[in-house]
Amino acid sequence: MTLNVGELAPDFELPSSTGESVKLSDYRGQRVLLYFYPKDMTSSCTQQACDFRDRHEVFQELNTVILGISTDPMKQHDKFIAKYGLPFILLSDEEHQVAEQYGVWQLKKMYGKEYMGIVRSTFLIDEEGILMKEWSKVRVKGHIEAALEALQDM
């Protein structure tokens, strides 16, 4: 599936750190910053989550909900949230169906080995569910600022 800016973002339903299932469409009327990351408790993923945590109030002021998605199970998400005091919802995509839907489940290489995994990516979705911006192969440094800038330009 190909995602195109200006089109409706694919809806989904996943278990969340709130203990309930969450649908993207639950957030109509608010902007959503949907970010996919490879794994809880790894250095880059922790830095990214903490960057979102540290600017969470600014995102709220911009009527924006942050949703993080990885293939980690909810038990791991719960530990990640508790350890770093994350104030936003994490979703568990253990079967990587949503990651595939958004095109972020890709072949990766590390230390000469190939494997399938999530490519760090972020999607900005407006109040009507329209995809407004996509960042692929995200570098953590400077990403929060880029996301905030895009939100302020909307």
Side-chain angles (χ1 to χ4, degrees), residues 29-43:
Q30 294 178 287
R31 297 170 179 170
V32 176
L33 193 74
L34 181 66
Y35 84 98
F36 290 84
Y37 65 99
K39 189 156 183 57
D40 291 340
M41 307 289 191
T42 58
S43 61

Side-chain angles (χ1 to χ4, degrees), residues 52-138:
F52 280 125
R53 175 200 65 201
D54 295 346
R55 302 299 293 276
H56 188 253
E57 286 182 21
V58 178
F59 283 99
Q60 285 183 314
E61 290 167 6
L62 293 168
N63 191 34
T64 305
V65 173
I66 298 169
L67 299 175
I69 298 180
S70 78
T71 57
D72 292 307
M74 285 314 310
K75 198 173 200 176
Q76 186 67 20
H77 279 342
D78 292 341
K79 290 177 186 176
F80 193 41
I81 289 167
K83 183 170 183 176
Y84 295 102
L86 305 180
F88 49 86
I89 296 172
L90 296 181
L91 305 172
S92 179
D93 186 20
E94 289 188 76
E95 302 298 320
H96 49 81
Q97 292 173 334
V98 176
E100 288 182 39
Q101 202 175 9
Y102 277 76
V104 301
W105 186 253
Q106 298 177 16
L107 185 65
K108 298 171 76 173
K109 290 183 183 183
M110 186 184 298
Y111 306 119
K113 296 195 179 210
E114 291 185 337
Y115 64 98
M116 295 299 289
I118 288 180
V119 173
R120 190 181 314 279
S121 304
T122 303
F123 299 86
L124 178 57
I125 300 162
D126 77 3
E127 296 88 346
E128 283 81 45
I130 304 299
L131 177 62
M132 300 304 293
K133 182 139 180 84
E134 174 185 358
W135 292 269
S136 183
K137 298 180 182 171
V138 168

